[in-house]
Amino acid sequence: QVQVVESGGGLVQAGGSLRLSCTASRLPFVVYHMAWFRQAPGKEREAVSCISWRGDTTYYADSVKGRFTMSRDNAKSTLNLQMNGLTPEDTAIYYCAAGTAYCSDSTDNFWGQGIQVTVSS
């Protein structure tokens, strides 16, 4: 059974940094597009950052450009999201997703359970 597991969330003050990691097991990680989504209270889930299976195409939401950096390590089946300059607006549950469609919020994706990121003002 495929497992997608996020780690690294928590509570941080505004202006601080966090590094989220996602590990995927029992799937051919190297051929999957990967993405981070987030859902804040009362809001729809949105794509934060996406990376193609080759790693040559990336997407960042306008709200995180210049602050967040995504990377993937295919050898370790790991996806990372370095988040700098965090603001209270970044508070949300962050989800890691592996899918065959790039940057798609699809029920066909393999989803992690989500991890809380809270930024205090």
Side-chain angles (χ1 to χ4, degrees):
Q1 185 175 353
V2 173
Q3 286 188 320
V4 178
V5 180
E6 304 97 340
S7 61
L11 173 64
V12 65
Q13 289 188 332
S17 298
L18 282 174
R19 183 177 177 86
L20 300 183
S21 293
C22 168
T23 57
S25 59
R26 302 186 184 95
L27 89 166
F29 183 87
V30 68
V31 300
Y32 275 81
H33 305 300
M34 299 298 297
W36 288 99
F37 289 80
R38 69 184 180 187
Q39 187 166 23
K43 295 187 177 181
E44 293 187 355
R45 188 163 61 190
E46 63 172 348
V48 175
S49 183
C50 309
I51 187 166
S52 62
W53 67 273
R54 288 179 177 174
D56 57 352
T57 302
T58 57
Y59 162 84
Y60 292 94
D62 288 342
S63 58
V64 307
K65 280 181 182 176
R67 300 187 298 121
F68 290 12
T69 303
M70 169 187 262
S71 60
R72 66 185 296 162
D73 184 337
N74 286 342
K76 297 181 179 179
S77 298
T78 299
L79 178 74
N80 297 304
L81 184 68
Q82 179 66 42
M83 305 187 295
N84 299 328
L86 286 162
T87 73
E89 289 69 36
D90 295 315
T91 295
I93 299 174
Y94 284 70
Y95 297 91
C96 176
T100 56
Y102 175 71
C103 220
S104 172
D105 187 357
S106 171
T107 55
D108 291 334
N109 291 345
F110 294 104
W111 292 92
Q113 78 284 357
I115 193 163
Q116 180 70 47
V117 171
T118 302
V119 185
S120 63
S121 57

